[in-house]
Structures are given as structure tokens and as C-alpha cells.
Amino acid sequence: MSATQLTARSRRLSPAERRQEIIEAAALALEEGLAAVTYRGVAARLGCAPGLVHHYFDVVEALEAEAFTHAVTTDFERTFEEAEELGDAVAGLRHILRVWVSESPEPHKTVWLDAWYLAARKPRVHAAVDHAMRTTHGLLVAVPTPWPGSCSRRWTASSSTPRSE
């Protein structure tokens, strides 16, 4: 059996590595929505038995919450890195808003909508959504702070007027 043919069951990973592998496989939520995050769906993607997934996640709700968190964290990191590369806070904020508020049916929007829907009746998903929203808010508040090489104005979170450094 070649290295590329190894399945999840035949590779020796530490428990932390295996758990992360399961979370990443659960990111299929980006492609199919959070409803696709099931023991069987994730196991099929990994090429293992559903029991292995269940071993790491006692309930599907925990897996849904982790899949949501992984998906939005990956999206946040990519979007904020792209914004920071622009080198200007205003251009960066415009980029973030363009990505998040565009009319195109991007996968991250579906994941957010699914998570908001599930959050009403699933406490772990609710906690994950709340944490992601608070994190996003914190990141957005920090955006007007100049990035290296950008203008020397700093916007405060409590005022709408810039102040010089």
C-alpha cells in the first residue's frame, strides 16, 4: 500500500492529530452545509468507521460546533491576511466588507446561516457562533489601526474622528 493509499485507520497519529484531522474533514460543511456534518459523512471523507469519529466527539453537536469554528476561523484568517496585505486600513476594511457582504453565494455565508439556525436549539453551536461573532467584532475594531507601512492616522473605537500618532 503506498503512502497516498493509506486510510485514516491505517495511519498512526497522535490523538491531537487525529482529532484535528476529523475537524478538517468536517469542514465539508463549507461545501455541503452543517447538516452534512454527521459521523458517517465525516467518516466517509476520512475513509474510516463512524465509531472513530464518535470516539473523538461524544455528540454530533460538538462536531458541528468544531466544524463551524474551523471553517470560520480559516475564512477569518484568509480575509484578514488579504486585507492586511493591502497595507492601508481603509482599503483593508473595504476588502473585508466586500468579501463578507457580497451578493455571491459564497460557502462561508451558508455555514454562518446554518450555524445561526442550529444555534437556537444547540448550545454548543450557539457558544461557537457567539465566540466567532465576538472574535470578528474584535478584529474589525482593530482594523482601523494602521498596519505596517500604512497611513499614520489611528481611529479609536469610541470616536469617529481620526487622531494622529
Side-chain angles (χ1 to χ4, degrees), residues 46 55 57 59 68 86 122 144 163:
L46 286 173
H55 175 76
F57 294 92
V59 292
F68 168 77
L86 295 173
K122 295 189 175 193
R163 62 180 168 85

Side-chain angles (χ1 to χ4, degrees), residues 26-35 37 64-73 75 105-119 125 129 132:
L28 62 96
L30 278 175
E31 300 163 11
E32 302 173 32
L34 282 173
V37 178
E64 291 167 335
E66 289 287 342
F68 168 77
T69 298
H70 179 75
V72 298
T73 300
D75 182 56
E106 296 172 29
H108 70 268
K109 293 176 185 175
T110 303
V111 170
W112 273 101
L113 290 173
D114 283 352
W116 282 328
Y117 176 75
L118 292 175
V125 175
V129 169

Side-chain angles (χ1 to χ4, degrees), residues 99-158:
V99 168
W100 289 352
V101 186
S102 71
E103 293 182 21
S104 65
E106 296 172 29
H108 70 268
K109 293 176 185 175
T110 303
V111 170
W112 273 101
L113 290 173
D114 283 352
W116 282 328
Y117 176 75
L118 292 175
R121 44 186 208 288
K122 295 189 175 193
R124 291 182 188 190
V125 175
H126 182 276
V129 169
D130 184 63
H131 178 74
M133 290 177 71
R134 289 176 191 275
T135 300
T136 305
H137 179 264
L139 292 170
L140 286 173
V141 167
V143 165
T145 302
W147 290 312
S150 68
C151 65
S152 63
R153 293 178 166 203
R154 182 179 301 259
W155 293 83
T156 63
S158 62

Side-chain angles (χ1 to χ4, degrees), residues 26-97:
L28 62 96
L30 278 175
E31 300 163 11
E32 302 173 32
L34 282 173
V37 178
T38 64
Y39 291 138
R40 287 183 187 199
V42 174
R45 181 163 273 220
L46 286 173
C48 69
L52 178 66
V53 179
H54 184 269
H55 175 76
Y56 285 91
F57 294 92
D58 59 343
V59 292
V60 172
E61 180 182 341
L63 185 56
E64 291 167 335
E66 289 287 342
F68 168 77
T69 298
H70 179 75
V72 298
T73 300
T74 302
D75 182 56
F76 289 164
E77 289 172 356
R78 183 185 63 251
T79 303
F80 277 88
E81 285 173 7
E82 292 167 354
E84 189 169 317
E85 287 172 5
L86 295 173
D88 176 71
V90 174
L93 186 55
R94 284 185 181 135
H95 172 74
I96 291 166
L97 292 173

